[in-house]
Amino acid sequence: MKDRETDELTGPGEDTARADILTKRTRMRRHTIDDLDDTAALWADPGIVRHISGKPSTRSESWSRLLRYIGHWEALAFGYWVVEDRDTGLFLGEVGLADYKRDMTPSLEPWPEIGWVMAAHAQGRGLATEAVAAALDWSDRWLSAERTVCIIAPDHHASIRVAEKNGFAEGGYGRFGSEKSPVLIMERRKTAV
């Protein structure tokens, strides 16, 4: 018998997780090891990580992140997608769902956590909102979880707007381990499909 946490995070039983998602302007696909250069460049950009970790990632840290993305799909049948320009194939960013088992108070478990990060050249054009909407539509169709959560730095107004446009509302504040700065927790209820 499955416990509640497992039930909430179970992905699709069939291979629908492998299908690309097409939006008006993007193609979202699962990561492969060939995405290391784009992932590493994204996470090494100080402007990108300013509101996330505050510290650019090394290539080795990005390799671990990439393997974690791939592992989510293999272990849980959901995860992150590479977001590409639908016409040109240009790397735009990463959007997806995760179960990070964060050392956080309050706990985010058992809910899937959505996250997004767009390259500097892709920001300010509504692409994050579009990709997040597609990921949530996928989640609403294939995951049994009744809600999705996200965490955002309270001063990251652009990401808060993306979350709000996708139906998220403020759910309070939380803290990671011994971190002093709080993070905003936002929640969204599953919509009928």
Side-chain angles (χ1 to χ4, degrees):
M1 185 161 122
K2 292 182 178 180
D3 62 15
R4 179 175 179 223
E5 178 181 320
T6 303
D7 286 344
E8 294 298 340
L9 296 177
T10 301
E14 56 202 72
D15 206 25
T16 56
R18 295 195 181 275
D20 291 352
I21 298 173
L22 298 177
T23 72
K24 183 178 178 182
R25 298 178 291 166
T26 72
R27 174 179 165 234
M28 295 164 53
R29 63 167 177 79
R30 288 175 53 168
H31 287 80
T32 70
I33 59 173
D34 294 331
D35 294 310
L36 177 60
D37 289 341
D38 287 328
T39 295
L42 178 71
W43 290 96
D45 183 336
I48 296 299
V49 299
R50 176 176 80 242
H51 294 291
I52 301 172
S53 67
K55 176 183 160 288
S57 295
T58 66
R59 186 171 175 83
S60 174
E61 290 166 336
S62 290
W63 175 247
S64 293
R65 176 179 282 111
L66 182 64
L67 293 176
R68 185 172 61 210
Y69 290 158
I70 294 168
H72 259 84
W73 284 107
E74 294 303 316
L76 301 174
F78 66 89
Y80 268 67
W81 292 271
V82 169
V83 181
E84 299 173 325
D85 182 283
R86 186 170 174 167
D87 296 327
T88 67
L90 178 68
F91 178 88
L92 300 173
E94 299 172 335
V95 171
L97 300 149
D99 177 10
Y100 290 126
K101 304 282 187 221
R102 294 188 188 276
D103 178 21
M104 186 170 165
T105 304
S107 174
L108 300 179
E109 294 180 36
W111 314 116
E113 177 186 340
I114 192 163
W116 57 91
V117 59
M118 303 303 281
H121 64 84
Q123 294 179 7
R125 299 173 23 209
L127 292 164
T129 300
E130 185 176 320
V132 168
L136 289 167
D137 180 64
W138 185 95
S139 175
D140 287 348
R141 291 176 187 278
W142 299 109
L143 299 185
S144 61
E146 289 301 316
R147 82 175 56 167
T148 307
V149 296
C150 63
I151 57 173
I152 302 173
D155 62 343
H156 195 351
H157 304 293
S159 276
I160 292 170
R161 281 192 304 276
V162 168
E164 290 171 342
K165 288 178 184 177
N166 279 288
F168 284 85
E170 186 175 319
Y173 288 84
R175 294 192 188 279
F176 288 108
S178 62
E179 292 286 322
K180 293 188 185 342
S181 298
V183 292
L184 175 62
I185 300 171
M186 299 187 77
E187 301 176 343
R188 174 190 171 273
R189 288 270 180 200
K190 182 177 195 168
T191 60
V193 180

